[in-house]
Amino acid sequence: MSSQSNTAHRHAASAVHEPSFPWKQVIGYVLSLLLTGATLWCGFGHGLHGGVLQTTMMVLGMLQVLVQLLLFMHLSEGGTTSHIWMILLGFFFTFVVVAASIWIMTFGYQVQ
Amino acid sequence: MSKAVLTPKQGGAVHEPAPEYSHGGDVSILGFWFFLATDLLIFACLFATFVILRTHTDGGPTGSAIFDVNGFVAETFILLTSSFTCGLATFALRKGKRKAALSWLGATILLGIAFVGLEISEFIHDAAIGATAQRSAFLSGFFTLVGTHGAHVSMGILWMCSVFYQIWRRGIHPVRARKLFLVGLYWHFLDIVWVFIFTVVYMMGVV
């Protein structure tokens, strides 16, 4: 038990770069709540319709992704920049798969 | 003075970014980002399928007929909160606070169980009114996409329980710090996927 608290003490000593209060996490949580609230407001506030509404909600969703990646997943720190390239490549392929599938299927060959 | 604080094994730990990177962790964490990128591709395929099939209801129930707004909004806030508590667990870990890390990890596990419970009750309700995966192409796409996410969350809960047990029994150590950091990355990633399920499946289904 004492060795555990000793280990914890040494880690606390080595973790001096972390702030004493989890600002990143709290800011990230507040931002994600605000963004979700904004999406609900856009959807049920009867102000926006159709394509404008869908685009607005997608933009709000992408901002949520940035909050998660930068404030919770610590993407911008880490040892190397290769993490960022890895996940950007993933997002690029994701975009291509989804956008290209929808584009191809809009030519009228689908069964209704 | 500094030798009294840092053992030779941990020499230079002050300059390391975080404990999870201090034990050959960088390569492992890069590999996990690679896994997340490939997992993103699975969800990309399922999202593409769903978006193409969402209007193919074959006379069966549509999204606005079966989606319960209060239910999916509650699921969203539960998952966002669990992402926050998981971030606090990583924060406590980096401060070397074992008890705080375990408490926040436990809270994340409970929120995850609440989320899966709500989702299961939603699926049971859908099945009870005849909205099963066999009913229409829209419902096949819906259950495959949302069900795959739910299976990921369930897997994450089991994984978190095992990390919780290891840190509870043996304390914080660079290797176990990395395990907690990775399950945290996995959990935040599932929140990212859910943001798009919330937007594309549920919100665009009911408005």
Side-chain angles (χ1 to χ4, degrees), chain A residues 7-65:
Chain A
T7 309
H9 173 72
R10 271 190 274 115
H11 275 289
S14 70
V16 286
H17 63 287
E18 285 284 306
S20 55
F21 186 79
W23 288 111
K24 259 188 164 184
Q25 284 78 3
V26 171
I27 292 169
Y29 185 50
V30 170
L31 280 177
S32 59
L33 289 182
L34 287 178
L35 287 167
T36 305
T39 307
L40 289 169
W41 186 79
C42 287
F44 298 114
H46 306 294
L48 300 170
H49 298 283
V52 179
L53 173 62
Q54 296 196 349
T55 309
T56 308
M57 290 198 298
M58 285 307 283
V59 170
L60 289 170
M62 285 166 193
L63 290 176
Q64 283 271 30
V65 171

Side-chain angles (χ1 to χ4, degrees), chain B residues 18-86:
Chain B
E20 69 267 14
Y21 287 96
S22 62
H23 197 267
D26 196 41
V27 173
S28 308
I29 291 171
L30 173 65
F32 196 75
W33 278 103
F34 186 74
F35 162 77
L36 291 182
T38 59
D39 218 25
L40 203 55
L41 283 176
I42 291 177
F43 280 107
C45 297
L46 296 179
F47 267 106
T49 310
F50 174 81
V51 171
I52 289 160
L53 297 177
R54 56 182 292 195
T55 54
H56 297 208
T57 51
D58 190 29
T62 60
S64 56
I66 58 167
F67 296 155
D68 170 32
V69 176
N70 291 333
F72 73 75
V73 170
E75 285 176 64
T76 304
F77 281 112
I78 287 173
L79 208 60
L80 286 176
T81 307
S82 79
S83 205
F84 174 56
T85 57
C86 189

Side-chain angles (χ1 to χ4, degrees), chain B residues 20 159 163 166 174-184:
Chain B
E20 69 267 14
W159 184 6
V163 173
Q166 290 176 39
V175 172
R176 288 188 285 280
R178 193 178 70 218
K179 288 178 181 177
L180 196 149
F181 187 73
L182 291 186
V183 77

Side-chain angles (χ1 to χ4, degrees), chain A residues 78-92:
Chain A
T80 63
T81 53
S82 42
H83 302 174
I84 297 176
W85 289 110
M86 195 65 80
I87 204 69
L88 281 181
L89 193 65
F91 278 120
F92 172 72

